[in-house]
Amino acid sequence: AGAWPTINQTLTFKDRVVGAIPFPTACLNVITNFISPPSSSKGSISITSVSAINFVWRFDGSASASYDGFYWFAIGY
């Protein structure tokens, strides 16, 4: 766990796991699920932009909140 970044962060689809590739045409939607320790302040993840190769996200909540990360799922073609 650590402190959340207070600026936008980019997550690139390619090479996130072995064999991962960007979407050939477009990413249509990104769904996120915030993971926080039970004793932490609550927060959420906002997606600020989406492209075929990445998405830009930011944490909305207390900048001092600790975190365990977030899950994400992207749909595209």
Side-chain angles (χ1 to χ4, degrees):
W4 279 100
T6 57
I7 59 173
N8 289 349
Q9 303 289 307
T10 301
L11 188 146
T12 302
F13 298 129
K14 182 173 175 43
D15 297 329
R16 295 295 301 166
V17 295
V18 175
I21 60 172
F23 293 104
T25 305
C27 178
L28 301 175
N29 192 18
V30 176
I31 302 163
T32 62
N33 185 17
F34 178 67
I35 308 166
S36 66
S39 61
S40 175
S41 301
K42 300 300 178 201
S44 64
I45 301 297
S46 293
I47 304 301
T48 60
S49 68
V50 176
S51 75
I53 60 172
N54 62 36
F55 68 90
V56 178
W57 62 274
R58 88 168 170 261
F59 171 69
D60 292 325
S62 170
S64 63
S66 63
Y67 73 95
D68 286 340
F70 66 94
Y71 295 109
W72 59 272
F73 181 80
I75 298 171
Y77 66 101

